[in-house]
Amino acid sequence: MAVRFWEMYEETKEQFKLRIAAGKAGMDTVVSWVHMLEDETIVSRFHGEELAITTGMKAGNPDWLLKVVQGMAKDDCAGIIINTGMYLKEIPGDVILWCDEHNFPILEMPWEISITELIQDYCMRIIDQKQFEKKISKAFREAIQGYWKEADVRQVLGERFDMEGIFQAYCIYVKKTMEDEFNYNQAVIRLENQFGLWKGNDKINASYGIIRMEDFLVLILNNSKEKVFAELPNLILQSFSYFTKEHRFYLGIGPRASHIENLSASYKKARTAMKMSIGTGKEIIRFDEMGFFKILFSVEDMDILESYANEVLGALEAYDQAHKSDYAETLKSYIKNDRSLIRVAEDTYTHRNTVNYRIQNIKKITGCDLKNPEELFPYQVAFYIRDMAKKTIYINES
């Protein structure tokens, strides 16, 4: 749970004589770092959620401050603190109006207050919070591996979470390259900004933890309201829109579980659902809606699944290889089209008589009449396993 702008303000407003000038509704947002800003060109180098402090040295230039706050808001910055009294006597009315309309926070600080001290104070708060987040992340790693009884785990998590409450895990995988790291980090910050601590805002008011595993991300909710279960997946998609547009995003959702001891079960099921999301290419999979695939995707050892697929499809695939035929694809279409020769013919661009001839040969090769769903089911599972093997990505939990 990253440090929020309003938390920093509430804890330091007396010390630094801070006053909210505009955009109060936007203060429940993450602050990633604090920068001094006297030249608007630096905004283009911000990475998102930065808090800026300025003396308004260039405020004599027409609309300078308005352009600065507009640029910062466009780049998802957290807000700005203006040191008034020297270069800028007061904050212009058009700036206040725009920031109130767009929920972009502005704080005012008197000239006599040291900017250096404020920056040092705020940066230390951010660093301390990041260290605490590492402890939370480590404790959650232990909890999802079943070590929730450990005293240090319970102590750390107990500071922020209801250990007897309801937990739920979400597993997020993104196909990314080294060049995507910036956009990935921005997506994680946007995800954090879906949550808030102020009562009455339109954000999700629930305790949460975000754990970066080596290859994927785990979001853990504690005592979230029922409507979050329906709304959060789409909010996560919005946060990772850069990757969803390119079909490189996969989300698995575990069931809600009571008490910290059952968090591990929710996590494992979320991870299973994520594996199905990756294997099928479907963006969002809820474990509770997986049906038979709960079993299939819960198998950790792909060798076991491959062995089963070979046992069922081996003879047919060997025939295809020897005769340069595509009987396996014909059978796959036959299952998909509920044994309709006409639909298989349309699906494979093959004459119906040819399809019928191939099906009769397939029955001889497999030694199965393929006459009902029960007989077709093993082959359907085997084809699913083949598809899984093509799309499966090794997920490292370390």
Side-chain angles (χ1 to χ4, degrees):
M1 300 178 72
V3 63
R4 307 273 168 167
F5 191 10
W6 73 265
E7 289 180 293
M8 300 168 78
Y9 164 74
E10 288 291 343
E11 294 172 3
T12 63
K13 61 184 179 182
E14 301 298 333
Q15 178 184 355
F16 297 112
K17 294 183 170 47
L18 298 170
R19 181 184 73 85
I20 300 175
K24 180 179 179 180
M27 290 184 65
D28 196 6
T29 189
V30 172
V31 178
S32 62
W33 200 244
V34 184
H35 295 275
M36 190 71 192
L37 188 158
E38 299 295 6
D39 188 330
E40 67 277 11
T41 58
I42 194 176
V43 176
S44 64
R45 301 193 176 197
F46 286 176
H47 294 164
E49 313 311 329
E50 284 91 348
L51 172 63
I53 302 178
T54 184
T55 63
M57 189 180 297
K58 295 180 67 174
N61 297 345
D63 297 329
W64 178 82
L65 186 56
L66 180 59
K67 291 177 181 177
V68 166
V69 297
Q70 288 174 339
M72 290 183 66
K74 181 181 178 182
D75 290 336
D76 296 321
C77 295
I80 189 169
I81 299 175
I82 301 175
N83 196 214
T84 57
M86 175 62 76
Y87 303 108
L88 192 63
K89 299 302 180 184
E90 61 181 17
I91 302 172
D94 60 341
V95 174
I96 291 176
L97 180 62
W98 190 91
C99 289
D100 272 333
E101 288 178 350
H102 294 82
N103 296 329
F104 185 76
I106 294 183
L107 300 188
E108 185 177 2
M109 184 176 74
W111 178 258
E112 63 269 16
I113 301 299
S114 170
I115 290 178
T116 301
E117 289 183 12
L118 183 141
I119 291 177
Q120 288 177 340
D121 183 286
Y122 278 23
C123 287
M124 285 306 301
R125 290 173 184 272
I126 294 170
I127 291 171
D128 289 345
Q129 181 64 25
K130 287 182 177 179
Q131 292 300 317
F132 181 68
E133 286 176 12
K134 287 182 179 179
K135 291 182 180 179
I136 290 286
S137 180
K138 183 176 183 295
F140 267 132
R141 284 173 184 264
E142 297 290 319
I144 62 179
Q145 290 173 6
Y147 302 116
W148 57 274
K149 288 184 178 181
E150 299 295 328
D152 55 341
V153 172
R154 297 186 66 83
Q155 180 181 353
V156 172
L157 295 182
E159 293 181 32
R160 200 60 83 85
F161 301 90
D162 175 11
M163 306 292 276
E164 311 297 323
I166 303 297
F167 288 88
Q168 185 179 20
Y170 293 68
C171 287
I172 300 167
Y173 179 80
V174 172
K175 288 182 182 177
K176 59 184 176 69
T177 64
M178 292 293 291
E179 290 74 22
D180 290 324
E181 202 61 35
F182 170 78
N183 289 311
Y184 183 74
N185 290 332
Q186 293 304 101
V188 175
I189 290 176
R190 282 194 293 273
L191 175 58
E192 289 219 52
N193 271 326
Q194 301 292 352
F195 297 85
L197 302 179
W198 274 1
K199 300 289 184 182
N201 64 19
D202 58 355
K203 295 187 176 185
I204 297 171
N205 294 115
S207 296
Y208 70 94
I210 295 179
I211 303 97
R212 295 195 185 214
M213 311 298 273
E214 184 170 324
D215 296 323
F216 61 104
L217 199 69
V218 182
L219 169 66
I220 296 173
L221 298 191
N222 181 215
N223 290 343
S224 62
K225 295 180 180 179
E226 187 65 36
K227 71 172 187 174
V228 173
F229 188 70
E231 296 174 356
L232 183 56
N234 285 332
L235 295 177
I236 296 175
L237 288 180
Q238 291 173 24
S239 300
F240 287 84
S241 59
Y242 176 86
F243 298 98
T244 59
K245 290 175 183 176
E246 299 183 356
H247 308 290
R248 293 193 282 149
F249 174 90
Y250 308 92
L251 171 64
I253 304 174
R256 304 177 82 190
S258 179
H259 198 279
I260 187 68
E261 69 177 292
N262 295 312
L263 171 60
S264 178
S266 178
Y267 160 72
K268 289 176 181 177
K269 291 173 180 177
R271 185 170 173 268
T272 295
M274 180 184 69
K275 287 169 61 180
M276 182 173 174
S277 175
I278 295 169
T280 61
K282 188 176 179 181
E283 283 181 336
I284 302 174
I285 298 288
R286 296 181 185 273
F287 181 84
D288 289 341
E289 299 172 357
M290 286 176 62
F292 160 76
F293 295 102
K294 293 177 182 177
I295 300 172
L296 194 59
F297 283 90
S298 292
V299 178
E300 296 289 340
D301 190 346
M302 279 299 296
D303 289 342
I304 295 175
L305 297 180
E306 285 290 337
S307 176
Y308 177 80
N310 291 337
E311 180 182 328
V312 175
L313 295 174
L316 196 59
E317 291 173 338
Y319 183 92
D320 280 344
Q321 187 173 7
H323 297 83
K324 301 189 184 308
S325 56
D326 55 359
Y327 282 6
E329 286 302 314
T330 300
L331 177 56
K332 189 175 183 180
S333 179
Y334 188 64
I335 295 170
K336 181 179 73 172
N337 290 290
D338 196 23
R339 293 170 291 159
S340 168
L341 296 179
I342 295 176
R343 292 207 298 270
V344 173
E346 293 173 350
D347 188 33
T348 60
Y349 303 100
T350 308
H351 194 278
R352 177 182 174 181
N353 290 341
T354 302
V355 171
N356 185 48
Y357 171 78
R358 290 178 179 176
I359 294 298
Q360 297 310 314
N361 280 346
I362 290 170
K363 291 179 180 179
K364 293 176 184 177
I365 295 167
T366 60
C368 180
D369 290 335
L370 308 175
K371 62 184 179 181
N372 55 50
E374 288 75 17
E375 290 185 345
L376 291 172
F377 183 70
Y379 297 95
Q380 185 176 17
V381 172
F383 282 123
Y384 278 127
I385 293 171
R386 285 287 188 257
D387 289 341
M388 284 174 61
K390 293 175 184 176
K391 299 177 181 179
T392 294
I393 298 170
Y394 177 72
I395 301 297
N396 194 322
E397 294 188 80
S398 59

